[in-house]
Amino acid sequence: MSGEVEAFQALREKILSDPEVILEDQDVMKALIAANERALGGNIVDLRGIAMERLESRLDRLEDTHRSVIAAAYENLAGTNLINNAVLQLLEPTDFPAFLNSLSGSLRDTLRVHRLRLILESKDHEQGAPGFEEVLTAVEPGVVDHYITAGRDIAVRSVTLRQVSPASEDVYGDAAADIKSEALLKLDLGEGRLPGLLVMGAEDPHQFRPSQGTDLLTFFGGVFERAMRRWLA
């Protein structure tokens, strides 16, 4: 019994000499507040305890918001770096075949997608693109807008993000079964030319969603279409 008294006295002296040890421990503070509420009884309203609970709840919400803001900032920075690297790779090829080959290799890997497809409207679409069938498809006029809108009477945006199930075999070929979401970048190839479409297909159904921002992809699409104008000239 004397040992318990001595232990209590030692603990009491420790708390009195350094009360911050208790104040900084949330679990201990919660236990003390709960004990105080039990001592007061059910018929007494502890306004101070209620205020502390509200402050604690507000602090938790602020911490959650803080974490969300930081996560969004890191995600935005990572996305910006990714697009910057992709733009630099667009400038590297010295001829059009090398440019097309990058769509199935380095550029695709940098953008972290499963497939990159370039669709160009052409009046001579039946000629095809020998040697580049994996990345380049020629289609008849009007196909680009029809694919973007899925045949619906809606406005055609420069960037469209969506989940797909199933994906189009005409666009992705044998890889269609693996594609769960896609980004569609409509390309303005200059005055007097029919439009084109850059299609990014991803295996992750959440990689491209309608709720996501499109600023970075809009910028990348602008750079890509300017590169295409140079090659087509």
Side-chain angles (χ1 to χ4, degrees):
M1 191 69 176
S2 60
E4 293 181 1
V5 173
E6 291 177 358
F8 173 75
Q9 290 296 337
L11 177 60
R12 183 174 182 276
E13 291 176 2
K14 174 63 177 175
I15 293 173
L16 292 176
S17 63
D18 188 11
E20 291 184 358
V21 172
I22 299 297
L23 295 175
E24 292 178 356
D25 192 313
Q26 291 188 6
D27 293 333
V28 173
M29 288 300 297
K30 287 179 180 178
L32 292 174
I33 293 171
N36 182 60
E37 290 176 351
R38 288 194 298 270
L40 290 174
N43 295 327
I44 299 176
V45 177
D46 184 4
L47 296 179
R48 183 176 60 180
I50 294 174
M52 290 185 65
E53 288 181 0
R54 291 179 177 177
L55 286 173
E56 184 177 314
S57 177
R58 186 175 301 175
L59 178 60
D60 289 340
R61 291 196 300 270
L62 287 174
E63 289 179 345
D64 290 340
T65 301
H66 181 64
R67 284 192 291 267
S68 299
V69 170
I70 292 177
Y74 275 116
E75 184 177 352
N76 186 62
L77 179 60
T80 300
N81 290 336
L82 184 148
I83 293 299
N84 287 343
N85 290 334
V87 168
L88 290 176
Q89 289 191 348
L90 282 180
L91 305 176
E92 289 182 359
T94 56
D95 55 57
F96 192 52
F99 178 80
L100 292 178
N101 283 330
S102 71
L103 300 184
S104 60
S106 60
L107 187 59
R108 180 199 62 196
D109 296 339
T110 296
L111 291 169
R112 300 176 185 174
V113 295
H114 188 60
R115 280 290 186 273
L116 268 181
R117 297 281 297 179
L118 176 60
I119 300 174
L120 299 178
E121 290 188 359
S122 172
K123 295 179 181 178
D124 300 323
H125 62 278
E126 294 181 357
Q127 292 183 359
F132 298 101
E133 293 85 354
E134 183 181 350
V135 295
L136 178 61
T137 302
V139 297
E140 61 183 318
V143 168
V144 167
D145 285 357
H146 186 272
Y147 185 72
I148 293 174
T149 62
R152 296 172 294 171
D153 184 19
I154 58 176
V156 179
R157 294 173 292 182
S158 59
V159 176
T160 300
L161 308 178
R162 65 190 182 193
Q163 295 169 310
V164 288
S165 182
S168 171
E169 292 186 3
D170 293 335
V171 174
Y172 298 104
D174 295 338
D178 300 323
I179 304 301
K180 303 303 179 183
S181 64
E182 62 183 5
L184 310 177
L185 281 61
K186 185 175 181 180
L187 307 174
D188 178 2
L189 301 179
E191 187 176 355
R193 295 193 181 99
L194 294 170
L197 182 68
L198 181 63
V199 182
M200 302 179 183
E203 295 177 305
D204 183 355
H206 303 293
Q207 185 163 342
F208 299 117
R209 304 188 307 274
S211 60
Q212 293 172 325
T214 60
D215 291 350
L216 291 174
L217 286 177
T218 298
F219 170 72
F220 179 76
V223 176
F224 191 93
E225 65 186 10
R226 285 163 175 79
M228 282 296 300
R229 291 175 193 172
R230 182 183 63 179
W231 297 121
L232 293 176

